[in-house]
Amino acid sequence: MTSILTNTSAMSALETLRNINTTLSNTQDRVSSGYKVAQAKDNVAYWSISTTMNSDNKALNAASDALGVGAAKVDTAYAAMESAISAVNEIKAKLVTASEKSTDKGQIQLEIGKLQEQLSAIAQGASFSGENWMVSTNTEASVVDGFIREADGTVKVTTATFNVETYALFATIANNVGSGGILSAVMTIQLTSITTQGQIDTFMDTVETAISRMTDSAAALGALQIRVDLQDKYSAKLSDAIEAGVSRLVDADMEEESAKLSAIQTQQQLAIQSLSIANSSSQNLMTLFRQ
């Protein structure tokens, strides 16, 4: 039955066109934005996961930036420790020279005194961002090295620690002279013209003890450098993995969307033509009433 009041064919064609236009609009949005899940309404589960992981990834990147600051602190401390070991080795060499009876111990002391001043300068200059691990009485220092999310959803920042109290060259520096710490006894070495060989041997033992402790300190700093370097590489890989995982959830497949766009545009043209045909059927009724 054909009705002049209700055109069911046109209604059906119009509904089809509306659906096609909606699909076309969604596809165009995905093509223009690059996301298949841009809002919560697109896919609640994937949107929620991606939002959380993107937030965690930003925190991880911030931790990596902080790790860079920490690495600079460790490198600064290690450079100072290397220089201090070199200076103390020079003091050791001067003491060996002083063991020769014909040497002028007063002149040798002038050189040792300058090396002691250099040790204080080395430690005092080993500061980065206002923090000095070579002059401190703090129990330990820490370096931010990561950000993790526990299984229960709680988050925390992880750190690597360095025992400053044990490994610092000096506890304090006053009037450009260091005291306490690993080099406390080295700073008391004083040669005079009447210094005996027994006293020189005691000074040598003092220097050897200091070198041994500084070697341990340098080893601890070296181990921390390795930890920081490994964590930096791991953080970069982890960030890339998180980004790739989120991409699989929310990024649009541009090849697929392009193919869909072409197909839907063709469907739209056919739907428009179908609607036009359906609308023209009522006009065809007029031929029934022509004489």
Side-chain angles (χ1 to χ4, degrees), residues 58-170:
K58 287 182 179 179
L60 181 62
N61 289 333
S64 295
D65 293 340
L67 187 64
V69 176
K73 293 178 184 178
V74 177
D75 291 344
T76 300
Y78 185 81
M81 189 60 67
E82 275 194 320
S83 297
I85 290 174
S86 178
V88 174
N89 280 329
E90 285 295 324
I91 292 177
K92 177 181 177 180
K94 301 304 177 186
L95 290 173
V96 172
T97 302
S99 296
E100 171 59 47
K101 293 183 180 180
S102 62
T103 56
D104 186 340
K105 294 182 177 61
Q107 292 298 320
I108 294 175
Q109 176 55 39
L110 287 176
E111 294 181 276
I112 291 176
K114 292 301 181 183
L115 289 169
Q116 290 169 328
E117 291 176 6
Q118 180 64 17
L119 288 171
S120 296
I122 288 170
Q124 196 169 23
S127 176
F128 185 88
S129 189
E131 191 170 343
N132 191 329
W133 291 4
M134 296 293 98
V135 184
S136 180
T137 57
N138 292 332
T139 302
E140 65 179 27
S142 62
V143 175
V144 172
D145 69 352
F147 170 87
I148 60 174
R149 180 178 293 276
E150 302 286 4
D152 60 1
T154 59
V155 296
K156 69 177 181 180
V157 175
T158 59
T159 59
T161 60
F162 178 74
N163 193 328
V164 177
E165 186 177 29
T166 300
Y167 296 126
L169 294 176
F170 298 108

Side-chain angles (χ1 to χ4, degrees), residues 101-246:
K101 293 183 180 180
S102 62
T103 56
D104 186 340
K105 294 182 177 61
Q107 292 298 320
I108 294 175
Q109 176 55 39
L110 287 176
E111 294 181 276
I112 291 176
K114 292 301 181 183
L115 289 169
Q116 290 169 328
E117 291 176 6
Q118 180 64 17
L119 288 171
S120 296
I122 288 170
Q124 196 169 23
S127 176
F128 185 88
S129 189
E131 191 170 343
N132 191 329
W133 291 4
M134 296 293 98
V135 184
S136 180
T137 57
N138 292 332
T139 302
E140 65 179 27
S142 62
V143 175
V144 172
D145 69 352
F147 170 87
I148 60 174
R149 180 178 293 276
E150 302 286 4
D152 60 1
T154 59
V155 296
K156 69 177 181 180
V157 175
T158 59
T159 59
T161 60
F162 178 74
N163 193 328
V164 177
E165 186 177 29
T166 300
Y167 296 126
L169 294 176
F170 298 108
T172 59
I173 292 181
N175 298 319
N176 298 322
V177 178
S179 61
I182 293 175
L183 298 178
S184 176
V186 173
M187 299 299 288
T188 64
I189 293 175
Q190 181 75 33
L191 295 179
T192 66
S193 59
I194 60 173
T195 299
T196 66
Q197 185 58 45
Q199 291 173 315
I200 292 176
D201 290 341
T202 300
F203 290 151
M204 289 284 289
D205 290 339
T206 296
V207 168
E208 284 297 327
T209 300
I211 291 175
S212 177
R213 293 184 62 188
M214 285 192 294
T215 300
D216 291 342
S217 180
L221 286 167
L224 187 55
Q225 282 180 316
I226 293 173
R227 165 75 183 276
V228 168
D229 288 343
L230 289 175
Q231 183 63 29
D232 187 40
K233 293 177 182 178
Y234 170 69
S235 295
K237 289 183 178 179
L238 181 59
S239 178
D240 290 344
I242 291 174
E243 188 171 345
V246 171

